[in-house]
Structures are given as structure tokens and as C-alpha cells.
Amino acid sequence: MFDDFATRTVDIGEASIFVRFGGEGPPLLLLHGHPRTSATWHKVAPLLVRRGFTVICPDLRGYGRSRGPAPAPDHVPHSKRAVAGDLVEVMRVLGHQRFGLAGHDRGAAVALRLVLDHPSAVTRVAFLDGLPLSEHLARADARFATAWWHWFFFAQPEIPERVINADPDAWYRGDPSVMGQANHDEWRAATRNPEVVRAMLEDYRAGLTVDRRHEEADRARGARIECPTLVLWSLRDDLEDLYGDPRAIWRDWADDVRGHGIDAGHHVAEQAPGPLSEALADFFAPGNESGPHL
């Protein structure tokens, strides 16, 4: 995977972030979701490099080979605000003050926090298979709870750790023929690590508590996404079934919203890398950037 990409672990104090990066041109930061690692982009990243981008793929705090602080009762160390701060610092260390940003699944929640907390750093943003966490929770009816019950199971103290770590291979299932063997092996190593499992659960615990409060505070103060926004969703996933056109919800958060569905299941980077990379490359093309690269 990731031929001609470099790797680095960036120590930023309370966290150490593993990152892959390669290519030349405008920087594009790609954020994975749960329970993946940066390796989920192994088919997409080279295609974007060929389209003229510098592509940066980190493991989020606590996921994969990245590490963060111990969990806290208020879940703040694993909040999206903390994770977004990690990534701004990683990009600074790599020499990028402004960059394009795309996040999938839980990475989309991090991308939202990053673009709201650090608007001057982001030229354009893409949200893949995600909505603001507060929007999910505001619509949490019986259909949502049935389909996404794991959100509330993961929030329980200690119980999910015991259940998952008893047999992580049974809990986290992946097909190496779809994922790619090397991606699958890296992901499987991560899911077998109890420290990673704990951090991934803390991501969800933060989502129901501190992250929700941060988003509700944003809405109360009238904060909006200032840069062009792309919304992509997997047609064989359930986002559209639950909410209708997700662009309509994102228009409550941003003025310039466009996007479309992609014929894929939830892990779109692995299942439809061609259509996804084309959509991202067209949206983030240098002529479309909002402001100069610094």
C-alpha cells in the first residue's frame, strides 16, 4: 500500500499522530471513520496524487497507530475539538497552513469541528457519509436507535470494552478481498489492541456528550461553514433512507453546499475508490480553491 508515500509519527504533546503523506500540489487531508485506520484510503490516495494533490492520511487520535491521553470522565481528551487540534498541528508540522479537508463517518464529525474551530485553515471541505452529530441525535427516533444502536451501547461504561475485547475478530468483521489484504491486516491489528478499542469507544462517548454540546453552542451563536462544501453519501448505506437528501441538512450549516450519492456501501473509499476520487479531485481542483495556499 501507499507506494511512494512517506510515514511519520508527529508528537504534539498529549498525543502522537501517525500519518502517511505523498504527492505534490495542493494539500488534501483525508480523515477515516470508525473502525478504520488511514489505510482505508489506500486505493483513493494514489488516484488523488495522480490528479496533482499532496495527500495526507493520518490515524485519528487513539485509532490505528496514533495515541492520545488516557480517557477522562468528561470525555474531553477524545472530543472532536481535541482531535481537530491534533490535525491542525500535524499539518503545520508538515508545512501546510491551509488545506482541503475530507472526512468519512466519524472523520466527518472531526472535519466539521476543524472547519468551525479553524476556518482560516480550510480551503474547502467534504463530508462523506456523515452529518453533524447533533443532527443525528435530534432525529434519534426508533428507526435510528434500531439501525445505530451501537452509538448507545458504546456509551455504556466498561461494558462494551469487555464484550468487544473478549472476541474482537467476531465483533469487527471485514473482508480482505474487498478491503485489500494489507489494509485488512493493519485494521485487524488495531482492532485486537484493547487500547485502540478503548479510544474508539471514547470517540462515541464524546459524541453523545461534549461534542454534542459544542455543536449546539455553534448553532446558538450562528456559526456557519464559510468555505465551499461537498456532501457525498453511499447509496447502499442508510443515510438517505433515514434522513432524505443529506444536503438539505448540511445547508443549515453552510451556504455553499453541493454533492451527490455514490453507488457503494458504507466504506466507500474501499468499495468505490474511482468515483470517490473523481468527485474529490474535481471539487478540490486547484482552480476551485478558496484563497491562496500559504
Side-chain angles (χ1 to χ4, degrees):
M1 298 186 296
F2 293 93
D3 290 343
D4 301 320
F5 274 62
T7 63
R8 180 172 176 180
T9 298
V10 180
D11 186 349
I12 52 176
E14 70 172 15
S16 60
I17 306 302
F18 174 79
V19 60
R20 297 172 155 106
F21 54 98
E24 296 181 359
L28 178 53
L29 176 63
L30 304 180
L31 309 182
H32 65 82
H34 172 271
R36 293 303 202 253
T37 74
S38 56
T40 196
W41 303 108
H42 73 104
K43 298 177 182 177
V44 170
L47 297 174
L48 292 171
V49 167
R50 290 176 202 163
R51 288 290 299 267
F53 294 93
T54 297
V55 180
I56 303 96
C57 304
D59 289 351
L60 300 180
R61 173 183 289 208
Y63 283 77
R65 284 179 267 184
S66 292
R67 294 293 175 266
D74 61 6
H75 312 299
V76 167
H78 291 82
S79 68
K80 308 304 171 290
R81 175 159 287 159
V83 179
D86 292 345
L87 300 173
V88 170
E89 180 63 12
V90 166
M91 294 299 279
R92 185 195 67 77
V93 169
L94 295 179
H96 308 300
Q97 302 297 327
R98 283 172 59 81
F99 47 88
L101 173 64
H104 176 256
D105 183 76
R106 305 301 289 188
V110 175
L112 173 61
R113 178 49 46 207
L114 197 159
V115 75
L116 289 175
D117 283 0
H118 308 275
S120 64
V122 181
T123 58
R124 291 186 162 224
V125 64
F127 300 108
L128 285 53
D129 288 324
L131 297 174
L133 299 174
S134 57
E135 297 285 3
H136 285 296
L137 294 171
R139 295 165 172 78
D141 57 11
R143 291 180 66 225
F144 175 90
T146 300
W148 292 23
W149 60 273
H150 62 283
W151 279 33
F152 309 103
F153 174 65
F154 288 171
Q156 304 307 309
E158 304 301 333
I159 296 173
E161 282 91 339
R162 295 201 300 270
V163 172
I164 294 170
N165 289 326
D167 191 351
D169 290 5
W171 183 269
Y172 294 114
R173 298 180 182 179
D175 183 348
S177 69
V178 176
M179 296 177 66
Q181 188 66 55
N183 175 32
H184 179 272
D185 291 348
E186 179 174 314
W187 162 81
R188 178 58 72 202
T191 60
R192 289 173 176 171
N193 184 335
E195 186 177 355
V196 172
V197 170
R198 181 65 180 271
M200 293 193 295
L201 295 171
E202 283 295 310
D203 174 2
Y204 281 83
R205 291 163 179 155
L208 297 184
T209 55
V210 59
D211 295 331
R212 182 183 189 176
R213 292 195 296 271
H214 288 162
E215 290 184 7
E216 290 173 345
D218 292 328
R219 294 303 301 275
R221 68 184 176 86
R224 294 183 68 78
I225 298 169
E226 299 173 358
C227 62
T229 301
L230 178 69
V231 177
L232 301 173
W233 63 98
S234 300
L235 295 174
R236 288 184 270 120
D237 199 12
D238 60 359
L239 194 70
E240 190 172 9
D241 291 340
L242 285 170
Y243 305 113
D245 187 341
R247 292 170 297 188
I249 296 173
W250 279 110
R251 289 187 178 111
D252 288 337
W253 292 79
D255 295 325
D256 182 353
V257 177
R258 77 286 303 271
H260 59 270
I262 293 177
D263 184 18
H266 180 66
H267 294 289
V268 58
E270 298 164 3
Q271 298 174 22
L276 175 58
S277 62
E278 284 298 310
L280 293 176
D282 290 345
F283 177 68
F284 290 104
N288 290 335
E289 289 160 11
S290 179
H293 288 287
L294 303 179

